[in-house]
Amino acid sequence: MNVLYFAWVRERIGVPRENIETSAATVNDLVAELRAREERYAVAFADTSALRVAIDQELTEFDAPLAGAKEVAFFPPMTGG
Amino acid sequence: MRVVVQDAPFDFGHEAQAFARGHTSMGAIVTFTGVVRDTNEAPLEAMEIEHYPGMTEAALTDIAEQAISRWSLGNALVIHRHGRLVPGEMIMMVATAARHRKDAFEAAEFLMDYLKSRAPFWKREITSQGASWVAARDEDEAALERW
């Protein structure tokens, strides 16, 4: 699964994207796996209420299932306009 | 309907004229333009706008389609830049065309409210004191509730 990071999430994790082998059932499960990996993930995902997530480029919730997902992106609340 | 995401500057006058042209049944054209402003304590050197290629275009298209389905619009335009911009540069513009001004104004406000909080752009301000990400404002999220 392609996992993408934007803005300060990207800066904290240190890469813009990576390919992750996971059997996580939901976004929350994936976040828990990542947090357990290394400190930089734990720091980036310390507070998921300060984050947004998109599955296959559609905004969704952290309890959303990952079945069939090709791309998951994590980023802070958007600041367009 | 036209949605553009680009790093290059755009010519507001040209875009507004081109948008207005060809809508002889439309009595109202509303445009809004966002400009990089310098209101920080430390002078702003630049603003860097990051985006999510692919999702950005899809999100803007979805927002524009929602506006067209909710109001009686003849056309809608959204242009949004990414990359490095300096104070005074135009970041983005929206334009709406409708038979009557109420539809054109409301749809333009809807477009702005949604793209501020739902289109995947992130702003980073560069000053002589360093760089910092612009935080989303609660008011911008709350602004969506009126629609």
Side-chain angles (χ1 to χ4, degrees):
Chain A
M1 182 184 297
N2 278 319
V3 181
L4 279 63
Y5 312 106
F6 291 95
W8 57 254
V9 183
R10 169 178 52 73
E11 289 180 339
R12 287 182 192 179
I13 289 173
V15 292
R17 62 169 62 216
E18 57 191 332
N19 201 280
I20 289 176
E21 291 292 324
T22 179
S23 53
T26 67
V27 176
N28 276 325
D29 294 341
L30 174 63
V31 169
E33 273 185 22
L34 292 171
R35 272 195 195 121
R37 272 186 165 193
E38 281 179 57
E39 179 66 16
R40 58 194 171 110
Y41 294 96
V43 170
F45 290 108
D47 176 13
T48 51
S49 72
L51 294 177
R52 300 287 182 269
V53 60
I55 295 179
D56 293 334
Q57 306 194 348
E58 282 212 16
L59 270 183
T60 187
E61 303 295 329
F62 279 78
D63 58 4
L66 283 176
K70 293 190 177 72
E71 184 173 291
V72 178
F74 295 100
F75 39 79
M78 295 84 124
T79 51
Chain B
M1 186 185 93
R2 187 165 154 251
V3 167
V4 182
V5 180
Q6 64 183 32
D7 60 357
F10 60 87
D11 182 329
F12 171 79
H14 172 80
E15 295 291 348
Q17 283 284 3
F19 179 81
R21 216 174 287 136
H23 297 299
T24 52
S25 63
M26 297 293 119
I29 306 287
V30 165
T31 63
F32 173 87
T33 309
V35 179
V36 179
R37 67 169 182 263
D38 183 5
T39 57
N40 294 286
E41 289 175 16
L44 184 72
E45 290 175 5
M47 177 173 276
E48 288 176 355
I49 301 174
E50 183 170 333
H51 76 305
Y52 182 171
M55 182 176 170
T56 308
E57 290 81 353
L60 293 180
T61 300
D62 179 59
I63 293 164
E65 282 173 351
Q66 283 186 51
I68 285 169
S69 71
R70 288 184 62 160
W71 285 275
S72 181
L73 297 186
N75 204 359
L77 167 69
V78 180
I79 301 175
H80 204 300
R81 294 179 62 192
H82 58 86
R84 188 178 176 94
L85 284 72
V86 298
E89 277 195 84
M90 290 181 182
I91 302 176
M92 51 77 58
M93 71 176 282
V94 301
T96 55
R99 290 179 68 83
H100 303 290
R101 71 178 186 275
K102 190 164 183 287
D103 285 317
F105 272 121
E106 284 188 7
E109 285 204 63
F110 169 88
L111 285 171
M112 284 310 305
D113 284 348
Y114 266 80
L115 79 83
K116 278 203 96 70
S117 302
R118 291 291 181 271
F121 291 102
W122 301 275
K123 291 178 183 150
R124 191 162 172 261
E125 291 178 336
I126 319 291
T127 74
S128 56
Q129 308 295 310
S132 62
W133 292 98
V134 176
R137 303 188 317 159
D138 291 342
E139 304 95 276
D140 289 337
E141 186 66 30
L144 300 185
E145 289 170 15
R146 66 176 163 146
W147 308 112

